[in-house]
């Protein structure tokens, strides 16, 4: 089987490398760069990719990769830090740069071979993000490209099939990056693109059956894409051994509690245990405004409720969640020493001594891949096409202390937003659209009277995977309609503003 192993040296882009490799239908996995060589050898990769990372090879605590990988006889592609580490190990020279390169740049290809095979253009746009650079390539390496600053941008040893890139081919800001990866995988490593989401489904079903055995699986479902498709996959694997539970935490959208129950019963034929625990959650959140505290409180309450329900059911040994990779990479140092951005209740709020074993089949997937799995499992389009909704719900869209009044305001505004997006045909054109209730009041005039009421921010983004996102240039007529309806119909909001921030530097959610 064609297998590529990606060693994560701490880059926030590591999983994007995996994403691009999968797009080319090659199976891959991500492991920490500090994985013992015995485990790497056991994986038996047909090629290795070393990711970038924030460290310098000269740092005392720089990521250490086993030198033995250089003797495995498999093709290796080093990206940024990966290139610098490989160069240092093989006798090249790495220097701390006087000239740093961050953001868009151009490189001139001097040798159109290897990863640049059939390269028709001398210059190409790329995305740089480095301070150190390779001052001189190791023996037997050719210089394949240089940057505008004259720095070595790519190198290769065609005999050992070792290649290094100082830029990031995995990001969309390197337009021809996918061609570089394709050349490495197919021309250099000689792999075949024969892995698909269908094969992923078949493999995961077998893994779940082997892991679960005859045990019962308690599944946390929310009605969102991730948990819905997760439930469908596990149900396909173990049938009625799945016990999905849907909890009303008091932070759901308008009518959501009943809609989710109807969807599971009518469209998927899965019995759903529905629990109204809204009072419990709102009581725990009373007086809390800090977003991290909100997330942790919600996570802990979820686990308490699930533990309580598990005790009522017989044979429950597993807890299934629809955790995705963006949840993980933004929550914890996952596999490599990457930077924590925010906690997530799926991955950051679990007690260390939880009695149930976790089942997270989508932990390394992106949402669009999960949607593809949903189509394979014949989950209705109306369920898999829904916009993402955060695990902590409306708690992180009320940027202040949680009250029933503030939640009610946001629910009504949210209903207007989604209604107008569906009516206008824009719902399926964007990644996500929602409102955020700000901890700000403004003066307004309605009729002959003065008002002093809440401000709502409208957030609409387009994205492929949630890792990066751009704000959407909506028609002014749609913005006007949404604003007018909210101000006139939702008593308590007298101003609507539009968020024009991209990710990065902002996140999609405000908290």
């Amino acid at each position: 089987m064609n297998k590529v192993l990606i060693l994560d040296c701490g880059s926030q882009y590591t999983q994007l490398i995996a994403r691009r490799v999968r797009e080319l239908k090659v199976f891959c996995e991500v492991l920490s760069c500090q994985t013992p060589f015995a485990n790497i050898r056991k994986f038996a990769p047909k090629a290795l990719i070393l990711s970038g990372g924030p460290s310098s090879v000269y740092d005392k605590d720089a990521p250490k990769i086993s030198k033995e990988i250089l003797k495995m006889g498999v093709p290796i592609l080093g990206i940024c830090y990966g290139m610098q580490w490989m160069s240092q190990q093989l006798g090249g020279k790495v220097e701390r740069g006087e000239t740093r390169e961050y953001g868009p740049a151009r490189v001139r290809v001097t040798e159109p071979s290897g990863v640049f095979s059939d390269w028709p253009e001398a210059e190409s746009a790329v995305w740089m993000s480095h301070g150190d650079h390779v001052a001189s390539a190791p023996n037997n390496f050719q210089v394949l490209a240089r940057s505008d600053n004259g720095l070595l941008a790519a190198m290769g040893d065609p005999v050992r099939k070792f290649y290094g890139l100082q830029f990031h081919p995995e990001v969309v800001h390197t337009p021809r990056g996918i061609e570089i990866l394709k050349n490495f995988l197919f021309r250099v490593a000689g792999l075949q693109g024969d892995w698909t989401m269908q094969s992923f489904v078949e493999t995961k079903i077998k893994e779940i059956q082997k892991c679960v055995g005859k045990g019962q699986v308690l599944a946390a479902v929310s009605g969102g894409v991730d948990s819905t498709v997760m439930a469908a996959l596990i149900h396909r694997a173990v049938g009625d051994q799945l016990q999905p539970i849907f909890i009303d935490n008091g932070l759901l959208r308008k009518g959501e509690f009943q809609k989710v129950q109807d969807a599971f019963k009518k469209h998927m034929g899965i019995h759903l245990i529905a629990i109204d625990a809204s009072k419990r959650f709102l009581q725990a959140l009373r007086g809390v405004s800090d977003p991290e505290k909100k997330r942790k409180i919600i996570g802990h309450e979820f686990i308490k409720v699930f533990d309580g329900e598990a005790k009522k059911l017989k044979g429950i040994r597993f807890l299934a969640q629809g955790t995705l990779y963006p949840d993980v990479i933004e929550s914890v140092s996952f596999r490599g020493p990457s930077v924590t951005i925010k906690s997530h209740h799926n991955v950051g709020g679990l007690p260390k001594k939880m009695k149930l074993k976790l089942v997270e089949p989508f932990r390394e997937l992106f949402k669009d891949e999960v949607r593809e799995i949903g189509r394979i499992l014949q989950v209705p389009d109306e369920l898999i096409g829904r916009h993402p909704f955060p695990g902590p719900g409306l708690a992180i869209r009320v940027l202040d202390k949680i009250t029933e009044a503030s939640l009610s305001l946001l629910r009504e505004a949210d209903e207007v937003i989604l209604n107008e997006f569906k009516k206008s045909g824009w719902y399926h054109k964007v990644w996500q659209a929602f409102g955020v209730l700000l901890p700000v009041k403004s003066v307004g005039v309605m009729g002959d009277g003065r008002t002093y009421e809440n401000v709502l921010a409208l957030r609409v983004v387009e994205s492929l995977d949630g890792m990066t996102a751009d704000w959407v240039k909506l028609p002014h007529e749609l913005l006007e309609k949404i604003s007018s309806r909210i101000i006139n119909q939702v008593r308590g909001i007298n101003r609507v503003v539009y968020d024009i921030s991209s990710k990065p530097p902002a996140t999609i959610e405000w908290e």
Side-chain angles (χ1 to χ4, degrees):
M1 177 183 178
N2 292 321
K3 294 195 296 184
V4 172
L5 181 60
I6 300 166
L7 296 179
D8 176 19
C9 300
S11 173
Q12 290 295 330
Y13 298 138
T14 298
Q15 196 68 6
L16 288 180
I17 303 172
R19 176 182 172 79
R20 302 301 174 234
V21 173
R22 291 175 193 163
E23 286 173 354
L24 295 171
K25 297 183 179 180
V26 176
F27 177 78
C28 66
E29 286 191 16
V30 179
L31 292 177
S32 167
C33 61
Q34 298 173 347
T35 298
F37 178 68
N39 293 0
I40 295 174
R41 184 172 53 192
K42 185 178 180 181
F43 184 83
K46 298 296 185 182
L48 287 167
I49 298 178
L50 315 180
S51 86
S55 300
S56 163
V57 291
Y58 297 113
D59 290 344
K60 185 178 180 180
D61 58 350
K64 299 295 190 296
I65 309 171
S66 172
K67 298 177 185 179
E68 296 300 312
I69 67 169
L70 300 171
K71 302 175 184 178
M72 290 181 69
V74 302
I76 299 176
L77 175 64
I79 298 173
C80 199
Y81 178 88
M83 170 188 178
Q84 294 163 13
W85 176 86
M86 182 165 57
S87 181
Q88 184 190 54
Q89 297 301 316
L90 295 172
K93 186 178 180 181
V94 179
E95 292 182 347
R96 295 186 184 274
E98 293 182 8
T99 301
R100 297 190 174 194
E101 295 181 309
Y102 292 103
R106 297 193 70 80
V107 299
R108 175 172 290 276
V109 177
T110 57
E111 180 61 42
S113 63
V115 294
F116 293 108
S117 294
D118 296 332
W119 209 259
E121 300 174 10
E123 285 197 359
S124 291
V126 299
W127 184 262
M128 294 281 192
S129 181
H130 69 97
D132 293 357
H133 66 275
V134 176
S136 60
N139 291 337
N140 302 319
F141 274 76
Q142 299 174 316
V143 175
L144 304 180
R146 290 191 180 275
S147 70
D148 280 348
N149 292 323
L151 300 180
L152 196 158
M155 64 182 193
D157 178 344
V159 176
R160 286 181 290 184
K161 298 182 179 180
F162 291 173
Y163 288 87
L165 302 173
Q166 189 57 75
F167 55 89
H168 292 272
E170 69 272 23
V171 301
V172 295
H173 307 293
T174 300
R176 300 188 63 185
I178 196 70
E179 295 176 47
I180 295 173
L181 293 173
K182 187 183 294 185
N183 276 333
F184 174 71
L185 295 172
F186 303 139
R187 287 179 177 267
V188 175
L191 305 182
Q192 295 180 344
D194 55 7
W195 183 76
T196 64
M197 279 294 107
Q198 178 66 52
S199 63
F200 175 88
V201 168
E202 293 168 0
T203 299
K204 278 297 173 185
I205 286 176
K206 292 178 182 177
E207 287 181 4
I208 292 168
Q209 289 171 338
K210 183 178 180 180
C211 171
V212 170
K214 296 182 180 181
Q216 298 290 305
V217 184
L218 196 64
V221 301
S222 66
V225 177
D226 313 330
S227 63
T228 298
V229 178
M230 175 270 295
L233 177 66
I234 295 178
H235 189 260
R236 178 73 63 88
V238 298
D240 291 340
Q241 288 173 245
L242 173 69
Q243 299 285 341
I245 294 181
F246 176 44
I247 297 173
D248 183 356
N249 58 5
L251 306 166
L252 302 175
R253 289 168 287 197
K254 187 175 181 179
E256 189 78 356
F257 191 47
Q258 190 58 49
K259 289 177 184 176
V260 172
Q261 294 179 66
D262 293 342
F264 269 73
K265 182 178 180 180
K266 295 178 181 178
H267 298 295
M268 299 170 63
I270 299 176
H271 173 66
L272 186 67
I273 301 171
I275 301 168
D276 183 355
S278 55
K279 291 182 179 179
R280 173 178 183 159
F281 279 83
L282 295 182
Q283 176 65 34
L285 288 166
R286 181 173 295 176
V288 178
S289 57
D290 180 82
E292 284 299 287
K293 288 183 180 178
K294 288 179 185 177
R295 290 175 181 273
K296 289 177 179 178
I297 288 170
I298 293 167
H300 285 303
E301 290 301 316
F302 263 115
I303 296 303
K304 288 179 183 177
V305 173
F306 281 123
D307 269 345
E309 290 303 314
K311 292 174 182 177
K312 299 177 185 177
L313 302 169
K314 294 182 179 180
I316 299 294
R317 293 170 49 202
F318 302 90
L319 171 63
Q321 296 189 135
T323 308
L324 301 190
Y325 184 77
D327 300 331
V328 176
I329 198 66
E330 292 185 344
S331 304
V332 295
S333 179
F334 178 59
R335 296 187 167 177
S338 40
V339 178
T340 296
I341 296 175
K342 64 184 178 182
S343 67
H344 185 276
H345 83 272
N346 274 13
V347 292
L350 300 177
K352 294 180 180 179
K353 296 183 179 180
M354 188 178 67
K355 297 177 182 179
L356 304 179
K357 295 181 180 179
L358 276 180
V359 177
E360 296 176 307
F362 303 149
R363 189 178 175 88
E364 294 180 16
L365 296 186
F366 292 93
K367 192 174 291 286
D368 60 320
E369 293 175 318
V370 172
R371 285 192 168 111
E372 187 177 345
I373 290 172
R375 295 184 186 99
I376 292 171
L377 297 173
Q378 298 183 323
V379 177
D381 285 340
E382 64 186 84
L383 295 177
I384 60 176
R386 302 184 72 187
H387 287 186
F389 188 65
L394 299 181
I396 58 170
R397 293 180 181 174
V398 174
L399 306 191
D400 202 349
K401 297 175 182 177
I402 305 296
T403 66
E404 291 189 13
S406 62
L407 289 171
S408 179
L409 277 181
L410 187 53
R411 280 195 188 95
E412 295 301 323
D414 181 74
E415 184 78 358
V416 170
I417 293 167
L418 296 181
N419 181 265
E420 287 300 326
F421 266 82
K422 290 174 181 177
K423 282 170 53 179
S424 65
W426 272 88
Y427 186 83
H428 293 294
K429 295 179 182 179
V430 303
W431 173 264
Q432 200 170 359
F434 59 91
V436 180
L437 192 64
L438 305 183
V440 174
K441 289 192 175 183
S442 71
V443 174
V445 178
M446 290 187 179
D448 295 325
R450 174 185 182 277
T451 62
Y452 186 60
E453 295 178 336
N454 296 278
V455 179
L456 183 98
L458 176 62
R459 179 70 157 145
V460 187
V461 298
E462 54 188 1
S463 177
L464 288 174
D465 46 42
M467 294 295 285
T468 61
D470 291 320
W471 65 278
V472 180
K473 287 73 175 174
L474 291 174
H476 291 177
E477 296 79 12
L478 179 57
L479 287 171
E480 181 181 26
K481 186 65 179 291
I482 291 171
S483 176
S484 178
R485 279 196 60 190
I486 290 174
I487 291 172
N488 283 288
Q489 296 178 21
V490 183
R491 183 168 295 182
I493 296 176
N494 69 355
R495 190 179 300 270
V496 175
V497 298
Y498 191 45
D499 182 347
I500 58 170
S501 308
S502 295
K503 175 188 180 181
T507 53
I508 294 177
E509 296 287 346
W510 279 47
E511 289 193 340

